[in-house]
Amino acid sequence: MNSPLPPAEELALIDRELAQLDARRLYLLARRDWLLRLLQQSGAAAVRWGPAASGSAAAPAWSAGPAKEASAPGAQNVLLTLGAVLLAVAALAFTLVSWGSMGIAGRSAVLAVVTAAALAAPAVLLRRGLRSTAESVAAVGLLLTVLDAYALYAVGMPDADGTGYAAGAAAVLAAVWAGYGSALRTLRIPLPAAVVAAQLPLPLAAVAWQAGPLGVGWALLVTAALDAALALRVRAAALPAALLGSAALLVGAAQSWSAGSAAQALAPAALLLAGAALGVAAAWREPRVWGAALVGGVAAVVAVAGVARPELAPGWAVVAHLLVGLPLLAAVRVPALPEAVRRGAVGAGAVVGALGALASGAAVAPVLVARLRVLEEVWAATTPAADAYGPGASAAVGLLLTAGAARWLSRVSARPEPGVLAVVLGWAGLFAAPVLLGFPVAAVFALQLAVTGAAGFLALRSPGRGAGIAAAACALAGAVNVSLGALDGRAATFAVWGLLGAGCAAGAAYGPAVRWVRSGAAVCAVGYATGLLVAAAAVTDLAVVWWALPVLAVPALVAALGPRLGAVRLPAEIAAAVSGVLALALSAGRPGTLALVLALSGVVCAGAAVRPERRVLGWAAGALFVAATWVRLAEAGVTAPEAYTLPVTVPALAVGFLRRRRDARASSWAAYGPGLAATLLPSLLAAWADADWVRPLVLGVAALAVTLAGARWRLQAPLLLGGAVLAAVAVHELAPYVVQVATALPRWVLPALAGVLLLAVGATYEKRLRDARRLRAVIGRLR
């Protein structure tokens, strides 16, 4: 890679050569496009140069003429199909319109000759290799046999029952078409047509004999069984078997659900059990159709439980179905069963369990939602009666049965999903059971607190992440629900919230638990402590603004504990900060109380800032003290805050100067930021509310001096604070004139200026980014 040229000159030479190559390439591409257009206009064959599909060298590809949009076999199939349709239409017209103008002999002769010719022609055509033509002619022949059957009924047996004749005709046609297809196996239409025709005889016969819904169901099921047997040899029979079998099971399920007594449910149960046996047999014989075993298992559950359903209440009927269906899950431990049957049985048990859990959960949901009504009037003792929730213990029993089955399945299969379901369903059943059973209010709260505590303990001890998350979510939902219910009475509020707060505190202190669970428990403990203090203040006759003082005890306690909180220190401090914000919101109605709360909050932050790892809270303490001073001055009607802030600014700047002399690495924000902000910010707020020009002028000059001092001594805090205040003052002074100019200009000027600005910024985007990075680097180097 050595070169006699210097690197700069060689780089310039390479750039010039690359530019020339690009220019030459653009010229050749333009010339190529012009030549292609010229050849297309002159009618000559297009020439395409480019790499071949296989990646070989470029080669010309010539087109001999216009591209063909249809292949020869496709055109042939279209013509044959159209011809068959036209022949079928002609045959229908002849049968329906011209039939009556001929005698009996003529009719028979015409139909016999035409049908025989249509059915015999495919054999000749197949020997000559015309398979597509033979298929079309055979389709016409099959249609003619249908017309023959119709003609025979219309002329020879006009008084016969139409449905019964149709059943017999369908059976005869199915046999004829099956024999015809077996004789000419090359044809693909006759055998599937025979299978379709074979679906009609038994159902139509049941309808003709007025066998009722169950008779039709049995006819459908027997036909499905015959189709299933035929599917072992003809795969086309598998779909009709599935459709007719499903229809038979739906008929049986509908009759079982509408039965008024156990005796009336026996006949539908027999039909369902027969369908279940057919499904299991199909899965046993063909492993790929395990869904047949699943459907059969569900049908068996409906059959057995359907006998008891008329004698039970709706909720207990769900329990009966669960008692019959959940044992099917045990098939997972029976290796002697074929895989398809075992899989279908387990799937059927899972389906029954899911449906039962949904039905029971729909009954339990009102229990969890009804307590929201307590928020309409707190401490009013308006807890609804147990009968207001709907069904009783059946819903809880259904959930607990499903939870137990899911727990057993999770142990057997070693999968996390059933374990998660077991936790959720078990919690819902146990949590709602005391209410559904009509227990006294105290017992309801006690049992629900125990269930919530158990869920929280499981979240602390659960090794599985899925089950632990589910248990934590259930514990949180239970705690929120019980807390809302406890608002119905004062004693219940203090008792329930106190116990929940103590439990959360114990969970936060439990070392072996995972960190996120302990953090959530710590946040909840701080929240319950805050709620208890608010409730205690509400019991007294104090005004709402004075409730903030006891609430401040929570952040004070958290700040005092500090490092003793260990891993949950940060989430506890964040929750305590939220409590402090709540205290400020409560005291906002009276300026004097707000100033007091701001000052006390500053004391809490200052106390926490004593620790080296929380020095950043010193800024918050300073801001709170300044805010308290501003609120107090505003309450006193002070219009010149400089008289109160300058005496603080001067010694603060002196202290900052001395600190910078002792510690050259100290930041200018720590040394001069508090002092400058103590005067500049209140003065800026006063200047924005001042209609006179003296204060903005003096403040602008002071901000300019601070900015220049920061630039001179390369200090970040004076530079940014002074510049920001100076810019704010300038905006305040220019705002009236800007408004006047904006109202005087046409409305289209502002959008136009914005568009020009966006274009300018977009055109110099990279340069602006470089300037911004350079400015950030310069400011970052300041102290």
Side-chain angles (χ1 to χ4, degrees), residues 301 321-330 348-350 352-354 398 401-403 405-406 408:
V301 172
H321 283 79
L322 289 174
L323 290 174
V324 177
L326 292 178
L328 292 176
L329 296 173
V352 173
L401 283 175
T402 312
W408 178 85

Side-chain angles (χ1 to χ4, degrees), residues 132-594:
S132 299
T133 307
E135 292 280 2
S136 301
V137 176
V140 175
L142 298 181
L143 178 61
L144 287 175
T145 58
V146 178
L147 297 178
D148 290 339
Y150 168 74
L152 180 61
Y153 170 75
V155 176
M157 294 178 290
D159 298 330
D161 180 64
T163 306
Y165 177 81
V172 173
L173 289 176
V176 171
W177 291 352
Y180 184 71
S182 300
L184 299 177
R185 292 185 175 274
T186 309
L187 297 178
R188 292 174 294 181
I189 294 178
L191 288 179
V195 172
V196 173
Q199 312 308 309
L200 303 177
L202 291 179
L204 290 178
V207 173
W209 293 339
Q210 298 180 355
L214 283 178
V216 174
W218 278 108
L220 292 172
L221 187 60
V222 172
T223 305
L226 295 176
D227 289 335
L230 182 61
L232 300 177
R233 299 178 60 87
V234 181
R235 297 184 60 182
L239 181 59
L243 294 178
L244 268 66
S246 300
L249 293 178
L250 289 176
V251 171
Q255 293 299 309
S256 176
W257 290 333
S258 62
S261 63
Q264 294 178 1
L266 289 176
L271 175 60
L272 290 171
L273 289 175
L278 177 60
V280 173
W284 201 298
R285 180 64 176 81
E286 181 55 54
R288 290 178 297 179
V289 293
W290 63 271
L294 187 151
V295 176
V298 175
V301 172
V302 175
V304 176
V307 176
R309 184 202 57 79
E311 312 299 333
L312 300 174
W316 290 110
V318 174
V319 175
H321 283 79
L322 289 174
L323 290 174
V324 177
L326 292 178
L328 292 176
L329 296 173
V332 73
R333 300 294 300 271
V334 184
L337 292 175
E339 175 64 24
V341 177
R342 185 166 62 250
R343 185 178 179 185
V346 174
V351 169
V352 173
L355 295 177
L358 288 176
S360 301
V364 168
V367 178
L368 303 179
V369 178
R371 280 178 170 167
L372 293 176
R373 284 180 280 176
V374 176
L375 297 177
E376 298 175 358
E377 190 174 0
V378 177
W379 291 350
T382 57
T383 301
D387 55 359
Y389 297 115
S394 60
V397 171
L399 289 175
L400 293 177
L401 283 175
T402 312
R407 176 59 178 166
W408 178 85
L409 188 61
S410 67
R411 288 187 173 184
V412 172
S413 61
R415 294 185 60 86
E417 294 85 358
V420 173
L421 290 175
V423 170
V424 175
L425 296 175
W427 168 82
L430 293 174
F431 191 84
V435 180
L436 295 176
L437 293 174
F439 287 1
V441 176
V444 169
F445 279 125
L447 293 175
Q448 288 184 338
L449 284 173
V451 174
T452 302
F457 183 74
L458 180 62
L460 292 171
R461 297 293 302 271
S462 178
R465 186 171 181 82
I469 294 175
C474 291
L476 180 60
V480 172
N481 193 271
V482 176
S483 300
L484 289 175
L487 289 174
D488 197 41
R490 296 187 179 184
T493 300
F494 289 102
V496 171
W497 287 21
L499 290 174
L500 288 174
C504 291
Y510 185 69
V514 293
R515 185 172 181 178
W516 66 269
V517 176
R518 295 181 58 198
S519 300
V523 171
C524 292
V526 173
Y528 278 114
T530 304
L532 283 172
L533 291 174
V534 172
V539 173
T540 64
D541 295 330
L542 293 174
V544 175
V545 292
W546 293 107
W547 295 5
L549 296 179
V551 171
L552 279 178
V554 175
L557 178 62
V558 173
L561 293 176
R564 297 180 181 178
L565 297 176
V568 300
R569 179 182 182 183
L570 181 59
E573 289 177 344
I574 294 175
V578 175
S579 300
V581 173
L582 175 62
L584 295 177
L586 291 172
S587 63
R590 184 181 299 172
T593 308
L594 177 60

Side-chain angles (χ1 to χ4, degrees), residues 734-752:
L734 290 177
Y737 303 101
V738 173
V739 172
Q740 293 178 3
V741 172
T743 54
L745 290 176
R747 294 185 177 182
W748 59 267
V749 173
L750 292 180

Side-chain angles (χ1 to χ4, degrees), residues 35-145:
L35 290 173
L36 287 175
R37 289 194 298 271
L38 181 63
L39 290 174
Q40 291 173 358
Q41 292 174 1
S42 62
V47 181
R48 181 181 64 191
W49 295 90
S54 61
S56 59
W62 299 87
S63 178
K68 295 180 175 60
E69 297 181 353
S71 62
Q76 178 191 15
N77 292 333
V78 170
L79 293 176
L80 293 174
T81 303
L82 182 60
V85 171
L86 292 176
L87 286 176
V89 171
L92 287 172
F94 169 76
T95 304
L96 299 176
V97 179
S98 302
W99 183 260
S101 62
M102 302 178 64
I104 296 178
R107 299 169 187 172
S108 303
V110 169
L111 282 176
V113 171
V114 174
T115 304
L119 294 177
V124 179
L125 295 173
L126 288 174
R127 284 197 296 268
R128 296 188 178 183
L130 301 176
R131 178 176 175 178
S132 299
T133 307
E135 292 280 2
S136 301
V137 176
V140 175
L142 298 181
L143 178 61
L144 287 175
T145 58

